Amino acid sequence: MAKTPEDFSATPDTPGDKGHPGTVDSAPLATRRRAQALAVCIAAAFLTLLDVSIVTVALPSMEHHLALSPAQATWSIAGYTLTFGLALIPSGRLGDEFGRKKVFLVGMVLFTVTGVLCAVATTATWLVVARLARGVAAGLVAPQVVGLLHQMYPPRERGRAFGYYGATVSLSTAIGPLLGGAILQCFGTADGWRWIFLLFIPLDLAVLPPALRLLPESRRAERRSSLDLVGALVLGLAVTAVMLPLLETGGWSGRRWWLAWTGLALLAVFVLWERSVARKARRPLVDLNLFRERAYWVGTLVAAALYGGFTGIFIVLFQFLQQGLHYSPFKASLCTVLFTLGSAACGIISGRLVHRVGRPLVIVGTACTALGLTATALVVGGSEAGDNMFLRMALPLLLAGCGAGLVIAANQTLALHRVPRREGSTAAGVYQTGMKIGTSLGTALASSLYFGQLLASHGDFSAAARTGLLGAAALAAVAFLVALPGLTLRGRRDGEAAVGAVQEVEPVG
């Protein structure tokens, strides 16, 4: 039978619920082993998310040495995000059905292999195809990481685990360009971009042995269920149609928004299909009862808008600093280091405070991000000389970074706190798909505003950067407006509810 809303209260989330198909959490892990397993999950998350941002700074080098067209350059970056997003929900269901550890290991092996293929690419087409495959591999890993954290930690300790995860997300997003710039500085711009991929490989391989030894197993329940292949296909087409207009440029301009409307129509078809599957007592790809929880769907929207805001700034800043102010890739990446430090530190702090403070952390964090990005736009737009740009942007970017760090861990903890462990990876996949769509929207909005203003102003890089950054700040402001009613309607008690309703649940491994 289809699950009722009561099934999504946290109270019945107990190990060994044989009334539900899919994986069943195994015995509790010892504290030390759980900490080691957390380190493995964090390392894998860092590597897959780092690949989103580290390649951005190497794009001019790849364009030159592989003769990438503008469309191929876009796809070498955005294609990874697209296939990453497409794989999240189906791989989340695979993890819940067949075991998160198994899917995690398969994803990491594929991530390693596709890294080799990217590093040895000799043509633009080869690179783009390898990047698309690499996105699929990352999409296999990401929901398992969140699902494993959800599985291993009881509710009161989960916020701290998600705090480390949130710091990892912030750090990987912000430090990627810095590491990419350092690698190009060491190995030169000619083939330095290849080393960005090559240096991943030993790190990827280092994750596999401890993952095999430390990650908890999940055993199948007595009743088996088949995968919802039709739902996976319809959802894949819908997400592709929604994201393509956000990623593609040029020849799509006349018809790309028709694709977006088509994608929304396919999402409606997907919802109807999933309801039909549930009525037939089969297991849908996404249990729509997840969205009966207000905290979950509001949190997903907040994540999408916030990621769109703070990820959109990097492509604008690196274009402005390298092309407008003629900074080297490494010097340009140093200008964002305070964003990195602020987001990482506040991510850890947020995870420790979320159960005491609750939703106000999200409100304050989104407000700080929006204000910081707006201040950065004003500073950049008023610049004349670029030698002291690091100092000018320091405080605004620190404020924006601290705000993003406060939101990431707190928002994810509050969004997932009532999701049963058996649905952990699937719920994480839906949440992260929203993040990827937001990231694509933010990148598309910020870059289109930047290049549009650059053309209209006949090469005024400062004005173009200001316009692009204001677009990113607007998305962060949307995150604030979406989160704000949660504070006024539900109040501060949400933070306590994140643990108060689920105190009886035992930690499982």
Side-chain angles (χ1 to χ4, degrees):
M1 296 294 291
K3 288 188 270 298
T4 64
E6 286 75 13
D7 288 320
F8 278 84
S9 66
T11 310
D13 180 20
T14 56
D17 183 2
K18 295 182 180 180
H20 299 275
T23 59
V24 178
D25 299 332
S26 55
L29 290 180
T31 302
R32 180 179 178 184
R33 183 181 171 190
R34 188 173 64 181
Q36 293 171 331
L38 171 64
V40 171
C41 291
I42 293 298
F46 180 77
L47 291 171
T48 56
L49 294 170
L50 182 66
D51 202 278
V52 178
S53 59
I54 194 172
V55 180
T56 305
V57 73
L59 186 58
S61 177
M62 293 190 298
E63 283 181 294
H64 177 71
H65 292 95
L66 289 181
L68 299 179
S69 67
Q72 289 169 330
T74 299
W75 277 99
S76 66
I77 302 295
Y80 178 86
T81 302
L82 174 63
T83 53
F84 197 152
L86 286 175
L88 285 169
I89 296 176
S91 65
R93 175 55 67 203
L94 285 173
D96 289 337
E97 275 293 311
F98 299 107
R100 296 166 191 134
K101 178 178 179 178
K102 294 184 181 69
V103 180
F104 177 96
L105 291 170
V106 170
M108 285 305 302
V109 170
L110 291 177
F111 192 72
T112 305
V113 171
T114 53
V116 175
L117 294 176
C118 289
V120 300
T122 56
T123 66
T125 301
W126 181 337
L127 178 65
V128 169
V129 171
R131 289 285 291 165
L132 292 173
R134 191 162 173 81
V136 173
L140 287 173
V141 174
Q144 316 316 323
V145 169
V146 179
L148 285 164
L149 297 185
H150 200 70
Q151 173 183 332
M152 292 189 296
Y153 284 86
R156 187 170 290 279
E157 296 180 42
R158 202 175 287 159
R160 181 173 296 187
F162 280 134
Y164 290 118
Y165 177 80
T168 300
V169 172
S170 301
L171 187 64
S172 64
T173 301
I175 205 173
L178 181 63
L179 292 177
I183 291 171
L184 290 175
Q185 187 81 9
C186 292
F187 295 97
T189 56
D191 286 320
W193 65 269
R194 297 187 186 275
W195 284 98
I196 288 177
F197 296 109
L198 288 171
L199 292 177
F200 265 97
I201 296 169
L203 300 176
D204 298 337
L205 292 173
V207 169
L208 291 171
L212 190 61
R213 180 171 57 90
L214 296 170
L215 294 185
E217 298 282 355
S218 298
R219 63 183 185 276
R220 290 191 57 83
E222 293 179 358
R223 184 160 66 91
R224 298 178 63 90
S225 62
S226 59
L227 292 177
D228 181 12
L229 297 178
V230 174
L233 176 62
V234 174
L235 182 63
L237 292 174
V239 174
T240 301
V242 170
M243 291 183 70
L244 270 178
L246 304 176
L247 300 176
E248 189 57 274
T249 55
W252 292 90
S253 58
R255 61 180 182 273
R256 59 182 180 174
W257 296 112
W258 288 101
L259 274 175
W261 288 110
T262 301
L264 294 176
L266 286 171
L267 284 175
V269 172
F270 172 74
V271 169
L272 294 175
W273 172 260
E274 295 299 282
R275 290 185 181 276
S276 173
V277 170
R279 283 196 299 268
K280 295 175 182 176
R282 294 162 49 201
R283 200 175 198 195
L285 182 69
V286 176
D287 195 317
L288 298 179
N289 282 308
L290 284 170
F291 296 98
R292 292 180 183 270
E293 282 294 335
R294 187 179 185 278
Y296 181 74
W297 64 262
V298 168
T300 301
L301 291 178
V302 169
L306 183 81
Y307 273 76
F310 82 80
T311 56
I313 68 171
F314 292 103
I315 190 169
V316 170
L317 284 178
F318 288 122
Q319 292 284 344
F320 165 65
L321 293 171
Q322 291 186 62
Q323 297 182 356
L325 301 184
H326 306 292
Y327 280 20
S328 69
F330 182 66
K331 186 178 179 180
S333 62
L334 284 175
C335 290
T336 63
V337 70
L338 287 178
F339 184 101
T340 304
L341 296 175
S343 59
C346 288
I348 296 174
I349 293 170
S350 174
R352 293 174 181 269
L353 294 179
V354 61
H355 291 309
R356 282 184 284 171
V357 179
R359 195 169 298 279
L361 276 176
V362 179
I363 307 296
V364 172
T366 51
C368 288
T369 305
L371 290 173
L373 295 183
T374 302
T376 304
L378 297 177
V379 167
V380 166
S383 64
E384 296 180 1
D387 290 340
N388 58 350
M389 186 53 65
F390 173 85
L391 295 176
R392 293 184 179 186
M393 295 193 303
L395 287 179
L397 283 179
L398 179 61
L399 178 63
C402 289
L406 286 178
V407 175
I408 292 171
N411 187 62
Q412 183 155 297
T413 302
L414 293 170
L416 298 180
H417 77 269
R418 287 187 179 272
V419 174
R421 286 191 177 101
R422 61 180 173 270
E423 298 288 336
S425 292
T426 303
V430 175
Y431 183 90
Q432 291 175 329
T433 299
M435 287 164 42
K436 293 305 173 190
I437 292 175
T439 298
S440 300
L441 173 61
T443 302
L445 177 65
S447 60
S448 63
L449 289 173
Y450 173 83
F451 289 113
Q453 181 63 32
L454 189 64
L455 182 63
S457 62
H458 305 289
D460 187 339
F461 286 95
S462 294
R466 179 186 60 212
T467 303
L469 290 171
L470 286 175
L475 285 178
V478 169
F480 170 76
L481 294 175
V482 171
L484 189 59
L487 179 65
T488 57
L489 296 178
R490 301 292 290 272
R492 188 168 167 172
R493 291 174 299 172
D494 279 0
E496 299 171 0
V499 291
V502 287
Q503 287 306 298
E504 298 177 3
V505 181
E506 294 297 326
V508 295

